[in-house]
Amino acid sequence: DILMTQSPSSLSASVGDRVTITCRASQTISSYLNWYQQKPGKAPKLLIYAASSLQSGVPSTFSGSGSGTDFTLTISSLQPEDFATYYCQQSSSSPYTFGQGTKLEIK
Amino acid sequence: QVQLVQSGAEVKKPGSSVKVSCKASGGTFDSYAIAWVRQAPGQRLEWMGGIIPLFQTTNYAQNFQDRVTITTDEFMSTVYMELTSLRSEDTAVYYCARHMTTVTTTWFDPWGQGTLVTVSS
């Protein structure tokens, strides 16, 4: 199985900050990488697919990059509603695996 | 825009089974695949398997191969996930999600609201 490792596991930031979350795959996955946002008690929501494609309706403050084994999710200017947990997920091969999550908290 | 509506919370005894449903609101699943993903307390999301209702083809994660069965009704409007031989570690929120596939990539969107399954004696 492909192991997905995110860093950091938690992050404190302020409204307006630029933040970057990293995801590393245990083997190459080309651009088969998706990012999700999850708020407490809610289902995950797709933000980015294919490493860098913004899902419809997602603010342009979110962006993704990377290929191969190393990927990043960047939020260019944090908004109050962005404080949540973020997960990466590889869709290169079954079983489709997720990172352990990065919890983004208000500083 | 399809919405996925899941059945309500369940409390089960160890060794029993649970069957969770996922209904396409406002239509059918057409040719889309539906995946099941679970989230145990404090754990990462875990893909369990999926089905393409139109073709009745399934794909299961090896971790659940012997205990999970994913099916659909004859109208392809509801997908079911049954998990047998429940143990306390199966306590989790279970999500269904549409498994979108293009020629270049694949992702899960949208997701159902989740169903909490609690396994306790």
Side-chain angles (χ1 to χ4, degrees), chain A residues 21 33-38 44-59 62-64 73-75 82 84-87, chain B residues 107-109 111:
Chain A
I21 298 169
L33 191 284
N34 307 314
W35 289 98
Y36 301 86
Q37 175 194 67
Q38 186 178 34
K45 171 189 172 185
L46 178 71
L47 299 175
I48 302 280
Y49 62 94
S52 60
S53 296
L54 193 67
Q55 172 67 344
S56 175
V58 174
F62 289 90
S63 63
L73 173 71
T74 299
I75 310 172
D82 298 337
T85 300
Y86 293 85
Y87 294 93
Chain B
W107 64 86
F108 301 125
D109 181 71
W111 296 58

PDB file of all heavy atoms in Angstrom, chain A residues 21 33-38 44-59 62-64 73-75 82 84-87, chain B residues 107-109 111:
ATOM      1  N   ILE A  21       1.041  23.200   3.459  1.00  0.00           N
ATOM      2  CA  ILE A  21       0.997  21.855   4.020  1.00  0.00           C
ATOM      3  C   ILE A  21       1.640  20.925   3.007  1.00  0.00           C
ATOM      4  O   ILE A  21       1.388  21.029   1.799  1.00  0.00           O
ATOM      5  CB  ILE A  21      -0.456  21.426   4.301  1.00  0.00           C
ATOM      6  CG1 ILE A  21      -1.092  22.358   5.338  1.00  0.00           C
ATOM      7  CG2 ILE A  21      -0.517  19.976   4.760  1.00  0.00           C
ATOM      8  CD1 ILE A  21      -2.587  22.187   5.495  1.00  0.00           C
ATOM      9  N   LEU A  33      -3.067  12.991  -6.946  1.00  0.00           N
ATOM     10  CA  LEU A  33      -3.092  13.453  -5.571  1.00  0.00           C
ATOM     11  C   LEU A  33      -4.234  14.441  -5.398  1.00  0.00           C
ATOM     12  O   LEU A  33      -4.380  15.381  -6.187  1.00  0.00           O
ATOM     13  CB  LEU A  33      -1.755  14.116  -5.223  1.00  0.00           C
ATOM     14  CG  LEU A  33      -1.398  14.475  -3.778  1.00  0.00           C
ATOM     15  CD1 LEU A  33      -2.116  15.718  -3.273  1.00  0.00           C
ATOM     16  CD2 LEU A  33      -1.654  13.318  -2.825  1.00  0.00           C
ATOM     17  N   ASN A  34      -5.051  14.198  -4.379  1.00  0.00           N
ATOM     18  CA  ASN A  34      -6.186  15.065  -4.084  1.00  0.00           C
ATOM     19  C   ASN A  34      -6.065  15.629  -2.673  1.00  0.00           C
ATOM     20  O   ASN A  34      -5.453  15.012  -1.796  1.00  0.00           O
ATOM     21  CB  ASN A  34      -7.494  14.272  -4.203  1.00  0.00           C
ATOM     22  CG  ASN A  34      -7.629  13.557  -5.535  1.00  0.00           C
ATOM     23  OD1 ASN A  34      -7.376  14.149  -6.584  1.00  0.00           O
ATOM     24  ND2 ASN A  34      -8.024  12.292  -5.498  1.00  0.00           N
ATOM     25  N   TRP A  35      -6.674  16.774  -2.465  1.00  0.00           N
ATOM     26  CA  TRP A  35      -6.706  17.416  -1.147  1.00  0.00           C
ATOM     27  C   TRP A  35      -8.154  17.636  -0.715  1.00  0.00           C
ATOM     28  O   TRP A  35      -8.994  18.065  -1.516  1.00  0.00           O
ATOM     29  CB  TRP A  35      -5.995  18.772  -1.187  1.00  0.00           C
ATOM     30  CG  TRP A  35      -4.510  18.718  -1.324  1.00  0.00           C
ATOM     31  CD1 TRP A  35      -3.787  18.865  -2.478  1.00  0.00           C
ATOM     32  CD2 TRP A  35      -3.555  18.532  -0.270  1.00  0.00           C
ATOM     33  NE1 TRP A  35      -2.441  18.775  -2.205  1.00  0.00           N
ATOM     34  CE2 TRP A  35      -2.270  18.580  -0.852  1.00  0.00           C
ATOM     35  CE3 TRP A  35      -3.649  18.333   1.108  1.00  0.00           C
ATOM     36  CZ2 TRP A  35      -1.096  18.431  -0.114  1.00  0.00           C
ATOM     37  CZ3 TRP A  35      -2.486  18.196   1.845  1.00  0.00           C
ATOM     38  CH2 TRP A  35      -1.232  18.243   1.238  1.00  0.00           C
ATOM     39  N   TYR A  36      -8.418  17.371   0.565  1.00  0.00           N
ATOM     40  CA  TYR A  36      -9.743  17.547   1.134  1.00  0.00           C
ATOM     41  C   TYR A  36      -9.651  18.398   2.394  1.00  0.00           C
ATOM     42  O   TYR A  36      -8.649  18.371   3.109  1.00  0.00           O
ATOM     43  CB  TYR A  36     -10.368  16.192   1.514  1.00  0.00           C
ATOM     44  CG  TYR A  36     -10.514  15.242   0.356  1.00  0.00           C
ATOM     45  CD1 TYR A  36      -9.463  14.407  -0.019  1.00  0.00           C
ATOM     46  CD2 TYR A  36     -11.702  15.160  -0.377  1.00  0.00           C
ATOM     47  CE1 TYR A  36      -9.580  13.538  -1.092  1.00  0.00           C
ATOM     48  CE2 TYR A  36     -11.828  14.286  -1.448  1.00  0.00           C
ATOM     49  CZ  TYR A  36     -10.763  13.483  -1.798  1.00  0.00           C
ATOM     50  OH  TYR A  36     -10.883  12.620  -2.862  1.00  0.00           O
ATOM     51  N   GLN A  37     -10.746  19.097   2.671  1.00  0.00           N
ATOM     52  CA  GLN A  37     -10.892  19.868   3.897  1.00  0.00           C
ATOM     53  C   GLN A  37     -12.010  19.224   4.717  1.00  0.00           C
ATOM     54  O   GLN A  37     -13.063  18.890   4.176  1.00  0.00           O
ATOM     55  CB  GLN A  37     -11.267  21.312   3.561  1.00  0.00           C
ATOM     56  CG  GLN A  37     -11.553  22.193   4.756  1.00  0.00           C
ATOM     57  CD  GLN A  37     -12.244  23.490   4.332  1.00  0.00           C
ATOM     58  OE1 GLN A  37     -13.383  23.490   3.872  1.00  0.00           O
ATOM     59  NE2 GLN A  37     -11.543  24.612   4.465  1.00  0.00           N
ATOM     60  N   GLN A  38     -11.771  19.061   6.009  1.00  0.00           N
ATOM     61  CA  GLN A  38     -12.816  18.513   6.865  1.00  0.00           C
ATOM     62  C   GLN A  38     -12.980  19.375   8.115  1.00  0.00           C
ATOM     63  O   GLN A  38     -12.014  19.647   8.821  1.00  0.00           O
ATOM     64  CB  GLN A  38     -12.513  17.066   7.276  1.00  0.00           C
ATOM     65  CG  GLN A  38     -13.660  16.414   8.042  1.00  0.00           C
ATOM     66  CD  GLN A  38     -13.380  14.966   8.413  1.00  0.00           C
ATOM     67  OE1 GLN A  38     -12.242  14.589   8.694  1.00  0.00           O
ATOM     68  NE2 GLN A  38     -14.425  14.135   8.416  1.00  0.00           N
ATOM     69  N   PRO A  44     -15.652  15.150   4.637  1.00  0.00           N
ATOM     70  CA  PRO A  44     -14.598  15.818   3.865  1.00  0.00           C
ATOM     71  C   PRO A  44     -15.172  16.500   2.622  1.00  0.00           C
ATOM     72  O   PRO A  44     -16.175  16.057   2.055  1.00  0.00           O
ATOM     73  CB  PRO A  44     -13.660  14.672   3.483  1.00  0.00           C
ATOM     74  CG  PRO A  44     -13.892  13.633   4.536  1.00  0.00           C
ATOM     75  CD  PRO A  44     -15.355  13.728   4.840  1.00  0.00           C
ATOM     76  N   LYS A  45     -14.490  17.560   2.222  1.00  0.00           N
ATOM     77  CA  LYS A  45     -14.883  18.326   1.033  1.00  0.00           C
ATOM     78  C   LYS A  45     -13.685  18.407   0.105  1.00  0.00           C
ATOM     79  O   LYS A  45     -12.575  18.754   0.537  1.00  0.00           O
ATOM     80  CB  LYS A  45     -15.322  19.731   1.443  1.00  0.00           C
ATOM     81  CG  LYS A  45     -15.561  20.699   0.304  1.00  0.00           C
ATOM     82  CD  LYS A  45     -15.766  22.112   0.836  1.00  0.00           C
ATOM     83  CE  LYS A  45     -15.806  23.144  -0.275  1.00  0.00           C
ATOM     84  NZ  LYS A  45     -15.895  24.523   0.242  1.00  0.00           N
ATOM     85  N   LEU A  46     -13.883  18.088  -1.156  1.00  0.00           N
ATOM     86  CA  LEU A  46     -12.797  18.131  -2.136  1.00  0.00           C
ATOM     87  C   LEU A  46     -12.388  19.566  -2.420  1.00  0.00           C
ATOM     88  O   LEU A  46     -13.224  20.417  -2.719  1.00  0.00           O
ATOM     89  CB  LEU A  46     -13.234  17.453  -3.437  1.00  0.00           C
ATOM     90  CG  LEU A  46     -12.218  17.459  -4.573  1.00  0.00           C
ATOM     91  CD1 LEU A  46     -11.055  16.516  -4.244  1.00  0.00           C
ATOM     92  CD2 LEU A  46     -12.885  17.052  -5.888  1.00  0.00           C
ATOM     93  N   LEU A  47     -11.080  19.828  -2.335  1.00  0.00           N
ATOM     94  CA  LEU A  47     -10.541  21.145  -2.654  1.00  0.00           C
ATOM     95  C   LEU A  47      -9.776  21.134  -3.976  1.00  0.00           C
ATOM     96  O   LEU A  47      -9.973  21.977  -4.840  1.00  0.00           O
ATOM     97  CB  LEU A  47      -9.573  21.608  -1.561  1.00  0.00           C
ATOM     98  CG  LEU A  47     -10.090  21.784  -0.145  1.00  0.00           C
ATOM     99  CD1 LEU A  47      -8.932  22.124   0.780  1.00  0.00           C
ATOM    100  CD2 LEU A  47     -11.166  22.855  -0.107  1.00  0.00           C
ATOM    101  N   ILE A  48      -8.858  20.195  -4.094  1.00  0.00           N
ATOM    102  CA  ILE A  48      -7.919  20.110  -5.203  1.00  0.00           C
ATOM    103  C   ILE A  48      -7.891  18.667  -5.704  1.00  0.00           C
ATOM    104  O   ILE A  48      -7.821  17.732  -4.891  1.00  0.00           O
ATOM    105  CB  ILE A  48      -6.491  20.492  -4.756  1.00  0.00           C
ATOM    106  CG1 ILE A  48      -6.445  21.897  -4.167  1.00  0.00           C
ATOM    107  CG2 ILE A  48      -5.488  20.324  -5.915  1.00  0.00           C
ATOM    108  CD1 ILE A  48      -6.421  23.013  -5.160  1.00  0.00           C
ATOM    109  N   TYR A  49      -7.935  18.478  -7.019  1.00  0.00           N
ATOM    110  CA  TYR A  49      -7.763  17.143  -7.587  1.00  0.00           C
ATOM    111  C   TYR A  49      -6.633  17.189  -8.607  1.00  0.00           C
ATOM    112  O   TYR A  49      -6.273  18.264  -9.106  1.00  0.00           O
ATOM    113  CB  TYR A  49      -9.058  16.605  -8.191  1.00  0.00           C
ATOM    114  CG  TYR A  49      -9.604  17.418  -9.340  1.00  0.00           C
ATOM    115  CD1 TYR A  49      -9.299  17.103 -10.661  1.00  0.00           C
ATOM    116  CD2 TYR A  49     -10.448  18.514  -9.103  1.00  0.00           C
ATOM    117  CE1 TYR A  49      -9.785  17.857 -11.712  1.00  0.00           C
ATOM    118  CE2 TYR A  49     -10.940  19.269 -10.148  1.00  0.00           C
ATOM    119  CZ  TYR A  49     -10.613  18.930 -11.455  1.00  0.00           C
ATOM    120  OH  TYR A  49     -11.104  19.685 -12.496  1.00  0.00           O
ATOM    121  N   ALA A  50      -6.092  16.035  -8.909  1.00  0.00           N
ATOM    122  CA  ALA A  50      -4.973  15.935  -9.856  1.00  0.00           C
ATOM    123  C   ALA A  50      -3.841  16.900  -9.479  1.00  0.00           C
ATOM    124  O   ALA A  50      -3.266  17.562 -10.346  1.00  0.00           O
ATOM    125  CB  ALA A  50      -5.449  16.180 -11.281  1.00  0.00           C
ATOM    126  N   ALA A  51      -3.572  16.994  -8.223  1.00  0.00           N
ATOM    127  CA  ALA A  51      -2.456  17.752  -7.639  1.00  0.00           C
ATOM    128  C   ALA A  51      -2.624  19.261  -7.675  1.00  0.00           C
ATOM    129  O   ALA A  51      -2.222  19.943  -6.726  1.00  0.00           O
ATOM    130  CB  ALA A  51      -1.123  17.360  -8.277  1.00  0.00           C
ATOM    131  N   SER A  52      -3.216  19.791  -8.763  1.00  0.00           N
ATOM    132  CA  SER A  52      -3.226  21.250  -8.887  1.00  0.00           C
ATOM    133  C   SER A  52      -4.519  21.831  -9.450  1.00  0.00           C
ATOM    134  O   SER A  52      -4.604  23.048  -9.632  1.00  0.00           O
ATOM    135  CB  SER A  52      -2.056  21.694  -9.773  1.00  0.00           C
ATOM    136  OG  SER A  52      -2.172  21.127 -11.060  1.00  0.00           O
ATOM    137  N   SER A  53      -5.509  20.996  -9.722  1.00  0.00           N
ATOM    138  CA  SER A  53      -6.766  21.496 -10.288  1.00  0.00           C
ATOM    139  C   SER A  53      -7.746  21.869  -9.176  1.00  0.00           C
ATOM    140  O   SER A  53      -8.061  21.041  -8.316  1.00  0.00           O
ATOM    141  CB  SER A  53      -7.392  20.443 -11.197  1.00  0.00           C
ATOM    142  OG  SER A  53      -6.563  20.192 -12.316  1.00  0.00           O
ATOM    143  N   LEU A  54      -8.212  23.105  -9.228  1.00  0.00           N
ATOM    144  CA  LEU A  54      -9.106  23.617  -8.196  1.00  0.00           C
ATOM    145  C   LEU A  54     -10.533  23.135  -8.462  1.00  0.00           C
ATOM    146  O   LEU A  54     -11.073  23.329  -9.553  1.00  0.00           O
ATOM    147  CB  LEU A  54      -9.051  25.139  -8.187  1.00  0.00           C
ATOM    148  CG  LEU A  54      -9.672  25.877  -7.008  1.00  0.00           C
ATOM    149  CD1 LEU A  54      -8.886  25.609  -5.729  1.00  0.00           C
ATOM    150  CD2 LEU A  54      -9.721  27.370  -7.296  1.00  0.00           C
ATOM    151  N   GLN A  55     -11.135  22.503  -7.461  1.00  0.00           N
ATOM    152  CA  GLN A  55     -12.521  22.058  -7.609  1.00  0.00           C
ATOM    153  C   GLN A  55     -13.440  23.278  -7.754  1.00  0.00           C
ATOM    154  O   GLN A  55     -13.210  24.327  -7.138  1.00  0.00           O
ATOM    155  CB  GLN A  55     -12.929  21.216  -6.397  1.00  0.00           C
ATOM    156  CG  GLN A  55     -14.398  20.842  -6.310  1.00  0.00           C
ATOM    157  CD  GLN A  55     -14.859  19.884  -7.398  1.00  0.00           C
ATOM    158  OE1 GLN A  55     -14.194  19.699  -8.402  1.00  0.00           O
ATOM    159  NE2 GLN A  55     -16.004  19.257  -7.181  1.00  0.00           N
ATOM    160  N   SER A  56     -14.473  23.132  -8.554  1.00  0.00           N
ATOM    161  CA  SER A  56     -15.430  24.207  -8.757  1.00  0.00           C
ATOM    162  C   SER A  56     -16.001  24.698  -7.429  1.00  0.00           C
ATOM    163  O   SER A  56     -16.380  23.890  -6.577  1.00  0.00           O
ATOM    164  CB  SER A  56     -16.563  23.709  -9.653  1.00  0.00           C
ATOM    165  OG  SER A  56     -17.561  24.692  -9.783  1.00  0.00           O
ATOM    166  N   GLY A  57     -16.025  26.013  -7.262  1.00  0.00           N
ATOM    167  CA  GLY A  57     -16.592  26.598  -6.064  1.00  0.00           C
ATOM    168  C   GLY A  57     -15.604  26.815  -4.936  1.00  0.00           C
ATOM    169  O   GLY A  57     -15.943  27.460  -3.937  1.00  0.00           O
ATOM    170  N   VAL A  58     -14.404  26.289  -5.079  1.00  0.00           N
ATOM    171  CA  VAL A  58     -13.383  26.453  -4.043  1.00  0.00           C
ATOM    172  C   VAL A  58     -12.649  27.776  -4.283  1.00  0.00           C
ATOM    173  O   VAL A  58     -12.260  28.074  -5.414  1.00  0.00           O
ATOM    174  CB  VAL A  58     -12.390  25.274  -4.063  1.00  0.00           C
ATOM    175  CG1 VAL A  58     -11.236  25.508  -3.089  1.00  0.00           C
ATOM    176  CG2 VAL A  58     -13.123  23.975  -3.722  1.00  0.00           C
ATOM    177  N   PRO A  59     -12.456  28.565  -3.227  1.00  0.00           N
ATOM    178  CA  PRO A  59     -11.792  29.871  -3.407  1.00  0.00           C
ATOM    179  C   PRO A  59     -10.400  29.746  -4.013  1.00  0.00           C
ATOM    180  O   PRO A  59      -9.680  28.771  -3.754  1.00  0.00           O
ATOM    181  CB  PRO A  59     -11.708  30.430  -1.977  1.00  0.00           C
ATOM    182  CG  PRO A  59     -12.792  29.734  -1.236  1.00  0.00           C
ATOM    183  CD  PRO A  59     -12.892  28.367  -1.833  1.00  0.00           C
ATOM    184  N   PHE A  62      -6.825  28.857  -2.420  1.00  0.00           N
ATOM    185  CA  PHE A  62      -6.280  27.504  -2.316  1.00  0.00           C
ATOM    186  C   PHE A  62      -5.553  27.148  -3.612  1.00  0.00           C
ATOM    187  O   PHE A  62      -6.056  27.416  -4.703  1.00  0.00           O
ATOM    188  CB  PHE A  62      -7.384  26.482  -2.076  1.00  0.00           C
ATOM    189  CG  PHE A  62      -8.001  26.553  -0.712  1.00  0.00           C
ATOM    190  CD1 PHE A  62      -9.101  27.369  -0.470  1.00  0.00           C
ATOM    191  CD2 PHE A  62      -7.493  25.798   0.341  1.00  0.00           C
ATOM    192  CE1 PHE A  62      -9.670  27.444   0.789  1.00  0.00           C
ATOM    193  CE2 PHE A  62      -8.059  25.858   1.607  1.00  0.00           C
ATOM    194  CZ  PHE A  62      -9.150  26.695   1.834  1.00  0.00           C
ATOM    195  N   SER A  63      -4.390  26.525  -3.476  1.00  0.00           N
ATOM    196  CA  SER A  63      -3.678  26.035  -4.640  1.00  0.00           C
ATOM    197  C   SER A  63      -2.889  24.796  -4.258  1.00  0.00           C
ATOM    198  O   SER A  63      -2.521  24.609  -3.093  1.00  0.00           O
ATOM    199  CB  SER A  63      -2.759  27.099  -5.235  1.00  0.00           C
ATOM    200  OG  SER A  63      -1.751  27.450  -4.307  1.00  0.00           O
ATOM    201  N   GLY A  64      -2.637  23.963  -5.259  1.00  0.00           N
ATOM    202  CA  GLY A  64      -1.861  22.750  -5.038  1.00  0.00           C
ATOM    203  C   GLY A  64      -0.773  22.619  -6.070  1.00  0.00           C
ATOM    204  O   GLY A  64      -0.895  23.127  -7.192  1.00  0.00           O
ATOM    205  N   LEU A  73      -0.056  21.846  -0.485  1.00  0.00           N
ATOM    206  CA  LEU A  73      -1.289  22.614  -0.505  1.00  0.00           C
ATOM    207  C   LEU A  73      -0.968  23.963   0.115  1.00  0.00           C
ATOM    208  O   LEU A  73      -0.414  24.013   1.223  1.00  0.00           O
ATOM    209  CB  LEU A  73      -2.385  21.917   0.303  1.00  0.00           C
ATOM    210  CG  LEU A  73      -3.688  22.717   0.497  1.00  0.00           C
ATOM    211  CD1 LEU A  73      -4.454  22.819  -0.815  1.00  0.00           C
ATOM    212  CD2 LEU A  73      -4.573  22.056   1.571  1.00  0.00           C
ATOM    213  N   THR A  74      -1.301  25.025  -0.589  1.00  0.00           N
ATOM    214  CA  THR A  74      -1.031  26.367  -0.092  1.00  0.00           C
ATOM    215  C   THR A  74      -2.334  27.140   0.025  1.00  0.00           C
ATOM    216  O   THR A  74      -3.178  27.087  -0.876  1.00  0.00           O
ATOM    217  CB  THR A  74      -0.065  27.114  -1.020  1.00  0.00           C
ATOM    218  OG1 THR A  74       1.180  26.406  -1.078  1.00  0.00           O
ATOM    219  CG2 THR A  74       0.193  28.532  -0.519  1.00  0.00           C
ATOM    220  N   ILE A  75      -2.487  27.826   1.142  1.00  0.00           N
ATOM    221  CA  ILE A  75      -3.581  28.772   1.318  1.00  0.00           C
ATOM    222  C   ILE A  75      -2.925  30.149   1.370  1.00  0.00           C
ATOM    223  O   ILE A  75      -2.127  30.417   2.285  1.00  0.00           O
ATOM    224  CB  ILE A  75      -4.388  28.491   2.599  1.00  0.00           C
ATOM    225  CG1 ILE A  75      -4.796  27.014   2.672  1.00  0.00           C
ATOM    226  CG2 ILE A  75      -5.634  29.381   2.650  1.00  0.00           C
ATOM    227  CD1 ILE A  75      -5.426  26.602   3.986  1.00  0.00           C
ATOM    228  N   ASP A  82     -11.343  28.833   7.037  1.00  0.00           N
ATOM    229  CA  ASP A  82     -10.343  27.870   6.576  1.00  0.00           C
ATOM    230  C   ASP A  82      -9.757  27.024   7.705  1.00  0.00           C
ATOM    231  O   ASP A  82      -9.008  26.073   7.448  1.00  0.00           O
ATOM    232  CB  ASP A  82      -9.192  28.594   5.871  1.00  0.00           C
ATOM    233  CG  ASP A  82      -9.640  29.338   4.633  1.00  0.00           C
ATOM    234  OD1 ASP A  82     -10.699  28.970   4.062  1.00  0.00           O
ATOM    235  OD2 ASP A  82      -8.950  30.287   4.240  1.00  0.00           O
ATOM    236  N   ALA A  84      -9.528  24.199   9.859  1.00  0.00           N
ATOM    237  CA  ALA A  84     -10.099  22.867   9.652  1.00  0.00           C
ATOM    238  C   ALA A  84      -8.950  21.871   9.607  1.00  0.00           C
ATOM    239  O   ALA A  84      -7.792  22.235   9.826  1.00  0.00           O
ATOM    240  CB  ALA A  84     -10.878  22.827   8.337  1.00  0.00           C
ATOM    241  N   THR A  85      -9.276  20.616   9.311  1.00  0.00           N
ATOM    242  CA  THR A  85      -8.250  19.599   9.098  1.00  0.00           C
ATOM    243  C   THR A  85      -8.183  19.285   7.614  1.00  0.00           C
ATOM    244  O   THR A  85      -9.213  19.178   6.941  1.00  0.00           O
ATOM    245  CB  THR A  85      -8.568  18.330   9.908  1.00  0.00           C
ATOM    246  OG1 THR A  85      -8.605  18.665  11.304  1.00  0.00           O
ATOM    247  CG2 THR A  85      -7.503  17.266   9.688  1.00  0.00           C
ATOM    248  N   TYR A  86      -6.968  19.141   7.116  1.00  0.00           N
ATOM    249  CA  TYR A  86      -6.738  18.915   5.697  1.00  0.00           C
ATOM    250  C   TYR A  86      -6.090  17.544   5.488  1.00  0.00           C
ATOM    251  O   TYR A  86      -5.179  17.162   6.233  1.00  0.00           O
ATOM    252  CB  TYR A  86      -5.858  20.020   5.115  1.00  0.00           C
ATOM    253  CG  TYR A  86      -6.578  21.357   5.127  1.00  0.00           C
ATOM    254  CD1 TYR A  86      -6.563  22.158   6.262  1.00  0.00           C
ATOM    255  CD2 TYR A  86      -7.318  21.775   4.020  1.00  0.00           C
ATOM    256  CE1 TYR A  86      -7.260  23.359   6.294  1.00  0.00           C
ATOM    257  CE2 TYR A  86      -8.013  22.972   4.043  1.00  0.00           C
ATOM    258  CZ  TYR A  86      -7.994  23.757   5.187  1.00  0.00           C
ATOM    259  OH  TYR A  86      -8.696  24.943   5.224  1.00  0.00           O
ATOM    260  N   TYR A  87      -6.586  16.833   4.476  1.00  0.00           N
ATOM    261  CA  TYR A  87      -6.075  15.499   4.160  1.00  0.00           C
ATOM    262  C   TYR A  87      -5.649  15.434   2.698  1.00  0.00           C
ATOM    263  O   TYR A  87      -6.361  15.924   1.813  1.00  0.00           O
ATOM    264  CB  TYR A  87      -7.152  14.431   4.363  1.00  0.00           C
ATOM    265  CG  TYR A  87      -7.597  14.235   5.796  1.00  0.00           C
ATOM    266  CD1 TYR A  87      -8.692  14.916   6.305  1.00  0.00           C
ATOM    267  CD2 TYR A  87      -6.923  13.344   6.631  1.00  0.00           C
ATOM    268  CE1 TYR A  87      -9.102  14.729   7.619  1.00  0.00           C
ATOM    269  CE2 TYR A  87      -7.332  13.145   7.940  1.00  0.00           C
ATOM    270  CZ  TYR A  87      -8.425  13.849   8.420  1.00  0.00           C
ATOM    271  OH  TYR A  87      -8.831  13.663   9.717  1.00  0.00           O
TER     272      TYR A  87
ATOM    273  N   TRP B 107     -11.126  10.963  -8.125  1.00  0.00           N
ATOM    274  CA  TRP B 107     -11.260  11.600  -6.814  1.00  0.00           C
ATOM    275  C   TRP B 107     -12.611  11.256  -6.209  1.00  0.00           C
ATOM    276  O   TRP B 107     -13.470  10.674  -6.870  1.00  0.00           O
ATOM    277  CB  TRP B 107     -11.090  13.121  -6.925  1.00  0.00           C
ATOM    278  CG  TRP B 107     -12.141  13.794  -7.749  1.00  0.00           C
ATOM    279  CD1 TRP B 107     -13.376  14.238  -7.337  1.00  0.00           C
ATOM    280  CD2 TRP B 107     -12.061  14.110  -9.144  1.00  0.00           C
ATOM    281  NE1 TRP B 107     -14.056  14.797  -8.392  1.00  0.00           N
ATOM    282  CE2 TRP B 107     -13.285  14.752  -9.503  1.00  0.00           C
ATOM    283  CE3 TRP B 107     -11.081  13.940 -10.126  1.00  0.00           C
ATOM    284  CZ2 TRP B 107     -13.539  15.197 -10.803  1.00  0.00           C
ATOM    285  CZ3 TRP B 107     -11.334  14.386 -11.406  1.00  0.00           C
ATOM    286  CH2 TRP B 107     -12.547  15.004 -11.739  1.00  0.00           C
ATOM    287  N   PHE B 108     -12.821  11.612  -4.914  1.00  0.00           N
ATOM    288  CA  PHE B 108     -14.067  11.365  -4.212  1.00  0.00           C
ATOM    289  C   PHE B 108     -14.815  12.685  -4.015  1.00  0.00           C
ATOM    290  O   PHE B 108     -14.365  13.571  -3.318  1.00  0.00           O
ATOM    291  CB  PHE B 108     -13.809  10.737  -2.837  1.00  0.00           C
ATOM    292  CG  PHE B 108     -13.066   9.429  -2.881  1.00  0.00           C
ATOM    293  CD1 PHE B 108     -11.904   9.248  -2.157  1.00  0.00           C
ATOM    294  CD2 PHE B 108     -13.525   8.361  -3.639  1.00  0.00           C
ATOM    295  CE1 PHE B 108     -11.220   8.038  -2.184  1.00  0.00           C
ATOM    296  CE2 PHE B 108     -12.849   7.150  -3.686  1.00  0.00           C
ATOM    297  CZ  PHE B 108     -11.686   6.991  -2.947  1.00  0.00           C
ATOM    298  N   ASP B 109     -15.975  12.792  -4.630  1.00  0.00           N
ATOM    299  CA  ASP B 109     -16.794  13.996  -4.489  1.00  0.00           C
ATOM    300  C   ASP B 109     -18.128  13.815  -5.200  1.00  0.00           C
ATOM    301  O   ASP B 109     -18.134  13.357  -6.338  1.00  0.00           O
ATOM    302  CB  ASP B 109     -16.073  15.206  -5.105  1.00  0.00           C
ATOM    303  CG  ASP B 109     -16.873  16.494  -4.971  1.00  0.00           C
ATOM    304  OD1 ASP B 109     -16.975  17.006  -3.833  1.00  0.00           O
ATOM    305  OD2 ASP B 109     -17.422  16.958  -5.982  1.00  0.00           O
ATOM    306  N   TRP B 111     -19.549  13.766  -0.931  1.00  0.00           N
ATOM    307  CA  TRP B 111     -19.612  12.770   0.140  1.00  0.00           C
ATOM    308  C   TRP B 111     -20.991  12.801   0.791  1.00  0.00           C
ATOM    309  O   TRP B 111     -21.660  13.842   0.818  1.00  0.00           O
ATOM    310  CB  TRP B 111     -18.553  13.073   1.202  1.00  0.00           C
ATOM    311  CG  TRP B 111     -17.143  12.970   0.727  1.00  0.00           C
ATOM    312  CD1 TRP B 111     -16.535  13.647  -0.306  1.00  0.00           C
ATOM    313  CD2 TRP B 111     -16.110  12.144   1.295  1.00  0.00           C
ATOM    314  NE1 TRP B 111     -15.219  13.296  -0.409  1.00  0.00           N
ATOM    315  CE2 TRP B 111     -14.916  12.387   0.554  1.00  0.00           C
ATOM    316  CE3 TRP B 111     -16.057  11.233   2.358  1.00  0.00           C
ATOM    317  CZ2 TRP B 111     -13.709  11.735   0.833  1.00  0.00           C
ATOM    318  CZ3 TRP B 111     -14.857  10.598   2.643  1.00  0.00           C
ATOM    319  CH2 TRP B 111     -13.707  10.848   1.882  1.00  0.00           C
TER     320      TRP B 111
END
